Amino acid sequence: MTILVTGASGHLGANLVRRLLDEGEAVRVLLREGSNNAAVEGLAVEKVYGDLREWSSVLAAVKGCDRIYHAAAKISTLYGNARFQQELYDCNVLGTRHLLRAALKVGVSKVVVTGSSAALGYKPGEPSNESTPFYPFTKTLPYELTKVFVEQECLKAFADGLDVVIVQSWAIVGPNDFKPSRLGQTLIDFANGKLPAYTTGGRDWVATRDIVAAHLLAMEKGRSGQTYTISSEFLTLPQMMELFEKVTGKHRPMLCLPISMMAGVATVADIIMPRLFPHTQRYLTAGAIKLVRTNQRADCTKAKKELGYQPTSIEQAVVEAYTDFVQRGLIARPKQILVSQGTPSQPTATKIGIK
């Protein structure tokens, strides 16, 4: 039976689709006209075009599908204005509502929805798990709120009889990062000598191979109406820089700014950049600093016990990401030439030469 994947052009979706194809599944992807859909070019998938905000196109995409992986989301660490916040809500919350209602209407057997660690609560000094309550009465990113509401939509659909499971993803690291992600662009800039500075703080990260594996496990074993948080390991940003040095052979920036200072810089940039450079994609924002400043850790005990989830290493994920960027020509004069082996969704990297 056909499997529908939303968000196939994103980092997670691109890896998920490749893994499903490796498994011999028939895959349909829902894409938006005019978006960057390079992630699925050349893949043996059925492409349908529509918008999650439009009920008719969602219903058409769902018809004829037995299972759904809903990985689509608008991700942002900006606070934004009212118009921006409305767009986030419509894409993430209303889009999820439409998809789940369509799944109920046509009788889809199971849906796995990609959630986010942004919907988890945080208690200083304690790892966050599925039971940690989210506290909304602090300065909260609009994106964080939308991911909380996404989980509420899933529970509503579950109450109406849909077999739906939520897989909460932490920050993703790995190959097939076509847009690219914030961390992916940081790795590219690092390897090209264009990263001016870095900061302290840290968080849990998840390898693409791990978050993809968790989605498949959730489809197979996940209990309906349940949430599973998925990470690989905790790393501080200085530790990530150390990994980047090891993989790329380049030195980290000499300037390491305290995170309190970086937060101030990012806050000013949030005010100035939209006015002077409104169309420039930004990787340093006050919201991004907020996420790493807490040093939030993950507790994946539930996923390990119920799904059989076993995390791999972030170092391997960085190697795979770097390999992919080199092969796509995004790294100028790479010191290490890496070649991927294995399947597209489960590559291994081998150093074969040095320039």
Side-chain angles (χ1 to χ4, degrees), residues 2 16 59 85 107 174 213 227 234 239 285-286 293 324:
T2 299
L16 177 58
L59 185 60
Q85 293 166 6
T227 300
F234 176 89
Q239 287 173 326
T285 66
R293 195 172 189 174
D324 187 52

Side-chain angles (χ1 to χ4, degrees), residues 261-274:
M261 181 183 297
M262 191 68 87
V265 172
T267 299
V268 173
D270 279 357
I271 298 171
I272 295 175
M273 291 294 290

Side-chain angles (χ1 to χ4, degrees), residues 89-308:
Y89 182 84
D90 291 346
C91 290
N92 295 349
V93 184
L94 295 185
T96 299
R97 180 184 299 174
H98 287 160
L99 186 82
L100 297 177
R101 293 296 141 184
L104 277 166
K105 185 177 181 66
V106 305
V108 168
S109 66
K110 192 167 187 176
V111 181
V112 173
V113 174
T114 305
S116 172
S117 60
L120 281 175
Y122 166 71
K123 292 182 179 179
E126 296 182 15
S128 297
N129 62 30
E130 300 83 355
S131 299
T132 308
F134 181 86
Y135 186 75
F137 301 114
T138 59
K139 190 172 184 181
T140 303
L141 284 167
Y143 172 73
E144 293 177 296
L145 289 176
T146 66
K147 298 309 284 188
V148 173
F149 297 150
V150 161
E151 295 196 4
Q152 292 179 352
E153 293 298 328
C154 292
L155 293 177
K156 291 177 189 176
F158 166 69
D160 288 336
L162 183 66
D163 189 353
V164 56
V165 180
I166 304 163
V167 176
Q168 290 177 332
S169 176
W170 291 68
I172 299 176
V173 187
N176 300 307
D177 188 1
F178 285 86
K179 294 203 171 176
S181 64
R182 178 176 290 103
L183 187 69
Q185 186 62 53
T186 300
L187 176 56
I188 293 170
D189 291 344
F190 184 102
N192 289 330
K194 295 181 178 180
L195 189 67
Y198 65 101
T199 187
T200 53
R203 61 176 295 129
D204 262 65
W205 311 84
V206 63
T208 52
R209 62 169 64 233
D210 290 349
I211 191 62
V212 166
H215 276 68
L216 270 62
L217 288 169
M219 184 66 78
E220 178 188 359
K221 302 178 181 179
R223 290 189 292 130
S224 187
Q226 294 296 307
T227 300
Y228 300 91
T229 195
I230 303 295
S231 76
S232 298
E233 60 181 305
F234 176 89
L235 288 174
T236 65
L237 293 181
Q239 287 173 326
M240 187 67 78
M241 293 296 106
E242 183 178 347
L243 278 186
F244 285 5
E245 285 183 325
K246 183 176 180 180
V247 172
T248 68
K250 304 293 178 66
H251 293 294
R252 74 183 73 184
M254 296 186 66
L255 185 59
C256 178
L257 296 176
I259 199 162
S260 56
M261 181 183 297
M262 191 68 87
V265 172
T267 299
V268 173
D270 279 357
I271 298 171
I272 295 175
M273 291 294 290
R275 299 175 183 177
L276 299 182
F277 306 100
H279 303 296
T280 300
Q281 187 174 10
R282 293 190 291 124
Y283 298 94
L284 174 63
T285 66
I289 295 299
K290 171 184 179 290
L291 294 177
V292 296
R293 195 172 189 174
T294 60
N295 292 289
Q296 187 178 14
R297 295 174 180 265
D299 174 8
C300 301
T301 301
K302 182 180 177 181
K304 292 175 181 177
K305 288 184 176 179
E306 295 190 15
L307 304 181

